[in-house]
Amino acid sequence: MGGELQQFKADFFKALSHPLRIRILELLSEGEKSVNEIQSILNKEGSAVSQQLSLLRAKNIVVGTKDGKRVLYSLRDPMIMNLLEVAREIFNNHLIDTITMFEELDDTDSNKTTKEEPVEY
């Protein structure tokens, strides 16, 4: 049973591993939207949006409900946005660490490039 849970997690994260899918999920966190609304907001072709929505639907991350001739998509579980927010915080922490490292390297390089006065004996 343990292996099944890891496989579910791996498949779930694989489904989230595309920038357009992440952006679609961020849009759907604001409320349900049709394919046309999503493609208009993202300035993407309908086929690209439809393809990504199809994958997200197959992984039970989004659901589609028929509204006349159109399908409105929404998040299956709003907790997905919590997960994406945590991912953003992790990214920000890594970014802060990287910036700090570069600042420390810059300080070290600045100290090396200053000319030392000759010592007289």
Side-chain angles (χ1 to χ4, degrees):
M1 170 104 166
E4 293 171 3
L5 180 58
Q6 278 75 31
Q7 187 61 51
F8 169 80
K9 288 177 182 179
D11 290 342
F12 179 79
F13 282 111
K14 240 186 262 183
L16 299 179
S17 68
H18 191 282
L20 182 54
R21 291 193 288 265
I22 297 292
R23 188 64 186 113
I24 289 170
L25 293 174
E26 290 171 343
L27 282 178
L28 293 178
S29 72
E30 300 167 2
E32 61 184 13
K33 294 188 177 21
S34 69
V35 173
N36 289 339
E37 290 173 305
I38 295 169
Q39 78 180 52
S40 175
I41 292 168
L42 298 178
N43 197 27
K44 297 286 182 184
E45 291 183 21
S47 60
V49 170
S50 293
Q51 181 182 23
Q52 301 308 328
L53 282 168
S54 178
L55 190 142
L56 291 169
R57 193 173 57 220
K59 296 297 180 183
N60 291 316
I61 296 172
V62 300
V63 293
T65 49
K66 201 91 158 124
D67 180 37
K69 291 183 178 183
R70 65 186 187 154
V71 176
L72 295 176
Y73 289 91
S74 60
L75 297 177
R76 183 172 184 270
D77 187 338
M79 292 286 295
I80 290 169
M81 291 320 301
N82 294 355
L83 176 67
L84 294 176
E85 183 58 37
V86 168
R88 182 179 309 191
E89 290 174 22
I90 291 169
F91 172 79
N92 286 340
N93 290 341
H94 284 281
L95 188 59
I96 290 167
D97 289 346
T98 302
I99 290 170
T100 301
M101 180 185 70
F102 282 130
E103 287 173 344
E104 289 171 357
L105 284 172
D106 190 45
D107 288 346
T108 302
D109 288 345
S110 294
N111 290 337
K112 286 181 180 177
T113 58
T114 57
K115 292 184 178 180
E116 295 183 19
E117 294 293 320
V119 178
E120 293 183 29
Y121 294 98

